[in-house]
Structure formats: structure tokens, C-alpha cells
Amino acid sequence: MTALAPAGSTRRLILAGAAVLLVALGLVALMVVRPSAASPSGGSSSLSAPAEDSVDAGFARDMAIHHQQAVEMSFIVRDRTDDEDVRRLAYDIINTQANQRGMMLGWLEMWGLPKSAAGPPMAWMGHTVTPTDDGSLMPGMATDAELAALTAAKGEKAEVLFLRLMTVHHRAGADMAQAAAGSAKTDAIRNLAEGMVRGQQSEIGLMADMLKDRGAKP
């Protein structure tokens, strides 16, 4: 088995990986969202740049933050268990959500929109999220204390805590994605959000089975 990286190395891997993904996937996003032809009415297609206060932009900003924490938690548990099923799930989340995060940030860059919102998160959903000092910026996100507990845990204890935290994280993420899939104006965001809903709901079912195998509840 490959030696596990220390915590400091893991943080460097996250930063380096995010930088590479942002550059590479930003280029991919540029190609994906460029309209191939004008709409029948003579205007631009539904892939044209949305407004700064649009559902599309708000979802891209907030889900990029949401995904960042999922990737962080997955790196943490990967280094704290030898269980192949949990490690495989962690790798899948790291690859999928870092990939999607890069796409969303790439679209914001191409649209000429800021990557951080001026107001509170989830305003695009019509929600009012009051900032707290526990580290949980949006529904479903783990608190600083929960992340510290995951970092301190090992073996099955780390596995169960990760699966519980990620289940809550995915449920909230799927709710956000469902809202974007139904209200976004660009094909790029609608298609990505629909895929997120399917993917995260599938992983919620998988994690429920994994928790049951460990004699734990979600």
C-alpha cells in the first residue's frame, strides 16, 4: 500500500490540485459554454453569460464552496483508514467534486463574474443564511469542531464520522442542485446540477449501506 501523506502534504496537494484543475477545466468550460449557433430568434443561445445576481452565478459560487469542503473531508478520511471501500468513495468524491468545482469557477471566469458573492450565501434560492462562527457556511457543511473530530479519529471511528458528515453534506448539496436544475437559465448549469442530484443521491444510498455494515445509523 502507498504510504499516506502527512496533513501538511495533503493541504499542499489540495492547493496544487485546485490550481491545476482551475486552469485546465477553465479552458474546457470556455469551450463548453461558447454558443455554437445563434438561437432561431436571432439572439444568443441559453448558454450566454448570466447576470451577477442570477441563479446560475449564485449556484456556481455557493456549490464551489460546498464542494471544497467535501474534497477536504475526503482527503482527511483517506489518510485515516485502510478500508478500501471508504478510500475508494473518498477518491471518487475528490475527483468528481474537484472537477465540478473547477468547471464552475471556470464558467464564472468566462462570464466575467466575481467568484465570491457580495451578499449572504444561497440568496439565489430565496434563503436567508445567517453567518455563524462555527465554520459551517451553508446547510450541510461540517463545523470546525466536526472537522477537528474527523481529523483526530482513526479507523472505523473515522469511517463512521466521515460517512455521517458526508451524508448530511450530500443531502444539502442535492437540494441546492435540484433548485438550480429547475431554475437556472444556462444549459451548462442545468445539466451539471441535474448530474449532481443523481450522483449525490446515489452516494447517499451507498453511504447508508456502508454505515449499516458498520452497525451505525446515518
Side-chain angles (χ1 to χ4, degrees):
M1 180 179 294
T2 304
L4 300 179
S9 176
T10 295
R11 294 191 186 95
R12 288 193 293 272
L13 283 171
I14 295 172
L15 293 174
V20 171
L21 282 166
L22 182 54
V23 173
L25 293 170
L27 294 174
V28 173
L30 182 59
M31 293 184 290
V32 170
V33 299
R34 182 184 290 119
S36 59
S39 66
S41 63
S44 62
S45 78
S46 62
L47 294 180
S48 58
E52 184 172 340
D53 61 351
S54 65
V55 168
D56 306 70
F59 172 76
R61 293 185 189 110
D62 287 350
M63 190 57 82
I65 294 171
H66 217 262
H67 273 17
Q68 183 177 7
Q69 189 186 72
V71 171
E72 179 185 358
M73 289 194 293
S74 298
F75 268 116
I76 292 172
V77 78
R78 184 204 65 172
D79 294 345
R80 281 156 181 78
T81 178
D82 292 328
D83 185 90
E84 289 301 321
D85 289 335
V86 174
R87 288 172 64 90
R88 188 178 301 111
L89 174 62
Y91 276 121
D92 286 346
I93 292 173
I94 290 167
N95 292 332
T96 299
Q97 297 209 11
N99 220 332
Q100 292 173 342
R101 183 173 183 271
M103 292 175 68
M104 291 182 287
L105 293 176
W107 287 330
L108 288 168
E109 178 72 21
M110 193 217 62
W111 291 333
L113 299 177
K115 297 181 181 67
S116 58
M122 300 181 72
W124 59 274
M125 288 181 66
H127 291 183
T128 300
V129 177
T130 303
T132 63
D133 59 2
D134 66 358
S136 178
L137 303 178
M138 283 174 272
M141 292 186 68
T143 64
D144 292 337
E146 288 169 333
L147 289 177
L150 179 61
T151 301
K154 292 183 180 180
E156 187 171 289
K157 184 176 180 181
E159 296 162 18
V160 170
L161 182 54
F162 169 76
L163 292 169
R164 284 174 170 163
L165 290 175
M166 194 59 73
T167 295
V168 174
H169 203 275
H170 270 22
R171 284 174 180 159
D175 286 345
M176 291 170 62
Q178 188 70 62
S183 303
K185 301 302 181 185
T186 62
D187 293 337
I189 290 294
R190 281 200 304 271
N191 292 340
L192 179 63
E194 288 169 1
M196 285 182 188
V197 173
R198 292 191 297 270
Q200 296 200 14
Q201 288 179 342
S202 176
E203 287 183 345
I204 288 170
L206 172 63
M207 291 188 289
D209 290 340
M210 294 171 75
L211 283 167
K212 184 177 179 180
D213 290 344
R214 290 161 177 76
K217 295 181 179 179

